[in-house]
Amino acid sequence: MTLRQAQGPGQAQGPGQAQGPGQAQGPSTALLTDRYELTMIDAALRDGTADRPCVFELFGRRLPGARRFGVVAGTGRLLEALRDFRFGDDELRYLCDNGVVSAQTLSFLEGYRFAGTIRGYREGELYFPGSPILTVEGSFAEAVILETIALSVLNHDSAIANAAARMSIAAGDRPLSEMGSRRAAEHSAVAAARAAYIAGFGATSNLEAGRTWGIPTMGTAAHAWTLLHDTEEEAFRSQVEALGAQTTLLIDTYDIRTGVETAVRVAGTSLGGVRIDSGDLPTVAAEVRAQLDRLGATGTRITVTSDLDEFAIAALAASPVDAYGVGTSVVTGSGAPTAGMVYKLVARQDAAGGWVAVAKASTDKASTGGRKAAFRTLEHGTATSELIAVSDGFESIDTPAEHPDARPLQVTLVDHGEADPAFAGPAGVAQARAHHARVREELPITALALSRSDPALPTVYVDAAR
């Protein structure tokens, strides 16, 4: 459907044709947005400000749950969403039929392609209050429309990564698996598995996450498998015959002690693992470990999976547990289901072409205007501050002279509308995971505590002109 068709007889006609720029090539993400993004564009096209060059910034005013650091996640997903941010026939028809915007705005949207620049923190990077996680530069119309999709993706994924990083710290060297798909919406589950993997989890139960993002998958059997069979022994024997003695047997459908005995009798002392999904886990894990050792299964691993969060994992640090499976807590952000990020206009050109820093001044919601560049200062390899240089203009911002060794935190993600493919797909996920592991090593030891506290690093603003 062209704009001409969308408007119907007697309405203003636009330039689009059936195969014109408004024709989406695949599933569109353009309506995953709030109505006011489009009504602002509609008004800006009317008053002549739509083309005014602007700088928008995505940041968090505070860390959710009084945590000590945040983890950026979702960047690769956002870049893919941006690729599909097109107003095709169906989208234009909906907007026209429901009178959302004028014919002039329909014509603008039909040809919409983001042609600006986006710089930001690498996925997997740590962030703190005020960190300019994304800086979006373009005309007002082409940049403001990205607000909802950017916040939707990064607020969700970063919340999951924040929780997953804390769980990874609590687990230490013991592996973590994400298994929370049934506790989240179907597409959110895939995104959550991706974010958890970036922040330190080693595998997921979600096969779509494995297919789409290259994340290792895991899983063997649920309680239903044992209940299907006439006896626990029959269930175990069938599983071992199908998957081999290195499989993991779920031993708490009935009596755990009997389950351990049956598991070793069926699989032998080379049994790969047992899983415990109920009970007082520190006590039960110790008893199971002792029983396995008495039966000669000294190499059999113990995995626990019972409503774990970072605090429960930390409480198991001294227990003979080999691995953890986490569901509800990780896919819901463990008490902080959103990262609380916002997307604000921080600089614009005035009518004369000069740059003006702008900022919201509302109580408890004030922001810092101006274009920014971010750096992390370090002493002997340990991070000491989040250093943010602020400019009223549009000149490049160099590393502050007083901190020549500070690490720049921003990279170019989109250059004149072209996204860097290095940050997309499974390769982008692997890169983000590796980057997160590296930068987490920079944190001071106090940042690793799980208790509520102030951010581990102070955010320090400096004038870029100095």
Side-chain angles (χ1 to χ4, degrees), residues 1 37-38 107 126 130 138 149 206 256 285 299 309 344 351 356 372 381:
M1 183 187 72
E37 314 292 7
L38 301 190
S107 181
L126 309 180
I149 189 68
N206 190 289
I256 292 178
D309 61 12
K344 299 299 179 185
V356 180
K372 302 175 185 70

Side-chain angles (χ1 to χ4, degrees), residues 370-392:
R371 187 166 167 269
K372 302 175 185 70
F375 307 87
R376 188 151 301 145
T377 61
L378 301 102
E379 292 183 7
H380 309 295
T382 299
T384 56
S385 75
E386 194 84 341
L387 187 64
I388 301 176
V390 184
S391 171
D392 288 338

Side-chain angles (χ1 to χ4, degrees), residues 180-463:
S181 293
R182 65 196 65 190
R183 303 292 189 239
E186 63 274 27
H187 299 298
S188 297
V190 179
R194 179 185 183 279
Y197 182 65
I198 287 171
F201 277 57
T204 178
S205 65
N206 190 289
L207 291 175
E208 187 59 53
R211 179 177 74 161
T212 302
W213 302 112
I215 303 171
T217 61
M218 47 67 65
T220 51
H223 291 102
W225 175 251
T226 303
L227 296 169
L228 169 68
H229 294 80
D230 292 337
T231 67
E232 187 174 54
E233 181 170 341
E234 288 180 12
F236 286 177
R237 193 171 299 281
S238 180
Q239 182 176 330
V240 169
E241 288 175 357
L243 301 178
Q246 284 301 302
T247 190
T248 296
L249 298 175
L250 182 57
I251 58 172
D252 70 336
T253 304
Y254 305 117
D255 177 72
I256 292 178
R257 181 175 292 275
T258 302
V260 172
E261 181 181 339
T262 303
V264 175
R265 183 172 66 252
V266 168
T269 56
S270 61
L271 172 63
V274 295
R275 179 162 74 92
I276 307 167
D277 192 48
S278 60
D280 179 25
L281 293 179
T283 300
V284 173
E287 292 174 349
V288 168
R289 180 75 270 159
Q291 186 180 5
L292 287 169
D293 290 348
R294 285 197 304 272
L295 294 172
T298 56
T300 298
R301 295 163 57 81
I302 297 174
T303 297
V304 295
T305 59
S306 182
D307 291 328
L308 299 178
D309 61 12
E310 61 266 48
F311 302 104
I313 292 170
L316 287 162
S319 299
V321 172
D322 298 289
Y324 306 97
V326 186
T328 303
S329 289
V330 68
V331 300
T332 59
S334 194
T338 177
M341 297 171 182
V342 295
Y343 185 95
K344 299 299 179 185
L345 180 65
V346 295
R348 61 168 174 81
Q349 278 191 3
D350 58 21
W355 279 96
V356 180
V358 296
K360 186 175 178 178
S362 306
T363 303
D364 295 329
K365 290 190 175 182
S367 55
T368 301
R371 187 166 167 269
K372 302 175 185 70
F375 307 87
R376 188 151 301 145
T377 61
L378 301 102
E379 292 183 7
H380 309 295
T382 299
T384 56
S385 75
E386 194 84 341
L387 187 64
I388 301 176
V390 184
S391 171
D392 288 338
F394 211 73
E395 69 279 358
S396 62
I397 303 175
D398 298 323
T399 304
E402 62 270 31
H403 297 283
D405 298 326
R407 179 167 68 85
L409 296 175
Q410 295 154 306
V411 296
T412 299
L413 302 168
V414 179
D415 186 9
H416 294 87
E418 294 295 324
D420 189 333
F423 301 106
V429 172
Q431 182 184 128
R433 175 179 167 86
H435 183 71
H436 175 71
R438 285 195 300 272
V439 299
R440 206 162 80 186
E441 292 295 319
E442 294 175 353
L443 285 170
I445 191 67
T446 55
L448 307 182
L450 300 180
S451 57
R452 295 171 64 90
S453 180
D454 292 333
L457 301 183
T459 302
V460 180
Y461 291 92
V462 297
D463 186 345

